[in-house]
Structures are given as structure tokens and as C-alpha cells.
Amino acid sequence: MATFRLGAIASIATKIPHQNVAKLQRINLVRRFATGAAPKKPTSTFGLALKGMAIGALVGTGWSGYSYFKGGPTDHMLHEHVGPKVLDKLPDVKIMRRVVNPKDDSGLDLVLFQFQTCPFCCKVRAFLDHSGLSYSVVEVDAVLRQDIRWSDSKKVPILLAKTKTGKYVQLTDSSMIVSSISSFLRDKKQDIGELAKYYPSISYENDAGRKVFDIMNKYFLMFQEKKVDNRTKEEQEDERKWRAWADDHLVHLISPNVYRTKDEALETFEWFSDVGEWNLHFPKWERDLMVYVGAFAMWGISKRLKKRHQLSDDVRSHIYDACDRWIGEIEKKKTTFHGGSQPNLADLAVFGVLNSMEGCQAFKDCLENSKIGPWFYAVKERVLKNRGNAL
């Protein structure tokens, strides 16, 4: 049905390290154990054979496990392919609001589980709104997360989309959500459930030696054999490049900036509460827990994130530079948006990430110290113009 871009997976997979010191150390530990000193008391031949078999099994099992997770020279440590999960029916949760667009002719039935100010959730909403889609919203408690207890994935956004069978396919990565829905909108004869299968999660071993999953081709659009995208190959590649930049770089500058100090962290969470209407959706004790515990926790976490992403103490300078780098790219094109006269998926990704901090001091500082303002509000105007009515 669709063209699956294996080249994208291969190119990304080659960046995954082929060795892991921690794993080797564990294997060496098993070997040292297996070659330890012999027992002082004489042992029967049968007993020695049993012990030899046990040690051999231990070493063999350890080596097999290591080899499986390490991967060979030809598979680049790519192993399991796990498709999206399918639910027989919607979970028993409270729909907190609906965005209804009378002009929506997609036929899609969508339920978005989100945090209102999560950068990845903002990306998805920016795309859905700009596309003029109707969807329901479940606001998840950022601390207790009770409304996603039914899901193996405890991260948001989660988008449930009704398939032609009446079941709901679960989409769990913001960029994959955007790519799969965008592919569908270009050819509405496709079934969103079948289309989602072209975005499997693939396991690999990360730098810490842990088995993790990622959707390697999440920035690619999937079409039938007929041509439904009039852009050049270079334009499509450029869009994917900047969508990945928003995920891999820009989004990591948000937390260190909006939670830079305890006061800014508290101010940020108070804003989260206002725009998310936490006082309406949650009991007061739960709302206060989310604000005060969340603010203190994120202030502490932001320090670790700053170190992890090698940011200087002047974290504002990094986000100013990122904003100006993005605008510089658009200025080269001499167009209003990265997509030309209309925002493309890269525009919506960068806008969504920045929109997550619009009410924070960090964003106000960005408006004053970078050139991001005119472009940001131009995209926002298009998104709001296409958006349905919030009920």
C-alpha cells in the first residue's frame, strides 16, 4: 500500500554504537566466575560433569543474551519490530473538551491524551488545528497520570484514532502521529490503522546498554504508488531535517529555560494550571500537588538537563541562538514560512515547541532578544484560523 523507506532506517541505524563497555564487563565477570578456583575437596567425575554443564550453560546463556542485544555487524543492533497497539474500544476516561470543525471532511475520530503545555503535545495540537481536524482531548494529570493507566506507554501525547474496523489504533510518538495523519490526509482512501503499521517501533541498545525502542522512520510520509506530493526530493528532505532538529535540539532548550530558577519554575506551573484549566478538571489538592511538586521537581531536573545537553549557565543564549538560526534559514528562502507561503510540517513542529512556553518569561525574553516574533505570530494566526471551535 505504501512505500516504506528502509534507507532512512539504515542511515539512522548506522549511528547506533556497535559496542558497549558495560555489557562486556558483565560478560567478563561471568567468565571470571566460570573460571574460578577449583573446590578443595575431590569431586566425582559425574559431579564435575554436572558442574561443567551448569557453567557452560551460564556462560552460553550470558553470551547469547549479550550477542542478541549487542547485534551483529550486519543488523546494526536492530531487532524487534513492534507495531502500534489496537484497542477494541475507548478507555473509560473523561473527555474534557472537544475541538469541532464543521469543515472537517477527513472522517477521522481522534482522541488526544495530553499535557496542555508539553512541547510534544503542542506540536501535535498545532498540526491537528492547522489541518482543520476535529478531536477530543483528555487532560492527563502530570503527576499521577491516572487517565493513561490503561496504556503501556506512560508518555504523552497519545492519540487514539478509530480504524475502519471500529477499533482504535494507539499512536504514541508526536512526530509519528504527525507523519501518519499527514499521510492519511493526502490520501483519505487509506485506513489509518493499516497506515500506522508502516511506523513500527524498533529496538536497539543505547549508550547506557539498555534496550530501547524508537520509530526510525517517523519523519517520513507514506503514500500509495501514485504521486500525491508535488514537492521536490530536496524540499521533503529539508522538511524532515528541521522536524528532527525541533525534536533533537530545540525541545531540549525549553526546560532549562522555563525552569531556570525556582521562581520561574513556579511561575511556569501557575501558567500551566491557567491554560490547562487544572482548577476545573482536577480537585484543588491535586491541582496544588501538580503545581508545587511539579515546579520543584522540574527545577531540579532542569539542572541535570542543562548538564546532559552541555548548556552553559547562560541558558538563554542557547535558545536565542536557536531561534535566530531557524529564522535565518527562512530568510535564505525569502519566504514567509519554511514551507513557502504556507507553514509546512517543520514550521508547525518548531512553532509547537515554542508555543509550549508562550506564557513564560523565557518566551518573552526570546521575543526581545531574537527575531522569532513575526514568524511565530504569523504561524499562530494560520493555526487559529484553521482551528475548529473548542467546546
Side-chain angles (χ1 to χ4, degrees), residues 80-86 169-170 176 196-202:
E80 297 178 64
H81 289 218
V82 180
K85 293 193 174 183
V86 177
V169 63
Q170 179 181 348
M176 178 268 208
K197 293 178 182 178
Y198 287 86
Y199 296 93
S201 295
I202 301 176

Side-chain angles (χ1 to χ4, degrees), residues 105-385:
D105 62 353
S106 68
L108 290 171
D109 182 352
L110 306 173
V111 181
L112 176 64
F113 293 75
Q114 65 153 27
F115 304 150
Q116 180 68 19
T117 50
C118 157
F120 299 106
C121 299
C122 290
K123 275 174 49 187
V124 171
R125 283 203 320 275
F127 167 74
L128 296 177
D129 291 340
H130 186 263
S131 301
L133 296 174
S134 300
Y135 58 97
S136 300
V137 176
V138 177
E139 194 69 31
V140 178
D141 179 336
V143 177
L144 303 179
R145 307 190 183 201
Q146 298 180 70
D147 286 315
I148 53 174
R149 285 181 297 179
W150 53 270
S151 173
D152 292 338
S153 173
K154 302 306 177 185
K155 296 180 180 180
V156 292
I158 296 172
L159 185 72
L160 297 183
K162 193 172 185 178
T163 68
K164 290 183 177 180
T165 65
K167 298 182 179 182
Y168 287 83
V169 63
Q170 179 181 348
L171 312 178
T172 56
D173 177 276
S174 63
S175 292
M176 178 268 208
I177 291 171
V178 170
S179 292
S180 58
I181 301 296
S182 184
S183 298
F184 173 85
L185 293 177
R186 283 168 167 78
D187 183 3
K188 297 173 187 175
K189 293 180 180 179
Q190 303 178 89
D191 177 24
I192 188 62
E194 292 299 316
L195 187 58
K197 293 178 182 178
Y198 287 86
Y199 296 93
S201 295
I202 301 176
S203 68
Y204 66 93
E205 187 180 89
N206 66 10
D207 293 338
R210 295 182 179 179
K211 182 181 178 182
V212 294
F213 287 84
D214 195 10
I215 301 171
M216 300 297 185
N217 61 329
K218 58 190 173 186
Y219 300 109
F220 282 80
L221 305 186
M222 301 295 169
F223 310 127
Q224 291 181 344
E225 295 302 323
K226 61 182 181 181
K227 186 176 178 63
V228 292
D229 194 331
N230 296 322
R231 297 175 301 168
T232 66
K233 180 180 178 181
E234 290 72 22
E235 288 172 332
Q236 295 177 51
E237 289 177 348
D238 196 44
E239 180 184 68
R240 290 194 293 269
K241 167 190 168 182
W242 286 101
R243 290 178 67 193
W245 177 81
D247 286 351
D248 298 337
H249 179 67
L250 182 62
V251 76
H252 297 307
L253 304 178
I254 303 298
S255 290
N257 274 281
V258 300
Y259 309 121
R260 183 177 60 165
T261 66
K262 291 179 182 178
D263 288 342
E264 281 189 72
L266 183 58
E267 177 190 51
T268 296
F269 267 82
E270 290 286 1
W271 177 65
F272 289 173
S273 177
D274 290 342
V275 296
E277 298 181 328
W278 291 356
N279 61 320
L280 298 179
H281 302 311
F282 305 106
K284 186 178 184 304
W285 69 266
E286 196 169 346
R287 179 266 179 201
D288 290 344
L289 178 71
M290 292 162 66
V291 169
Y292 295 105
V293 174
F296 184 78
M298 289 309 301
W299 170 74
I301 291 172
S302 70
K303 305 303 178 186
R304 297 205 303 268
L305 292 175
K306 183 180 75 171
K307 183 177 180 181
R308 177 188 300 175
H309 299 294
Q310 300 179 334
L311 306 180
S312 67
D313 289 337
D314 183 15
V315 291
R316 286 288 199 271
S317 65
H318 295 281
I319 200 163
Y320 299 158
D321 289 345
C323 288
D324 284 337
R325 180 184 176 190
W326 169 249
I327 297 303
E329 191 67 20
I330 296 173
E331 288 177 343
K332 290 179 185 177
K333 296 174 176 287
K334 298 181 180 180
T335 56
T336 305
F337 305 105
H338 185 273
S341 60
Q342 295 289 334
N344 64 6
L345 298 183
D347 285 295
L348 296 173
V350 175
F351 168 79
V353 170
L354 294 176
N355 182 239
S356 70
M357 65 172 193
E358 187 178 1
C360 304
Q361 184 60 47
F363 184 75
K364 298 172 187 175
D365 291 345
C366 285
L367 293 179
E368 293 181 3
N369 296 279
S370 77
K371 297 185 289 183
I372 200 67
W375 167 86
F376 179 89
Y377 287 112
V379 177
K380 184 175 182 178
E381 180 183 3
R382 299 298 178 95
V383 169
L384 293 179
K385 179 181 178 181

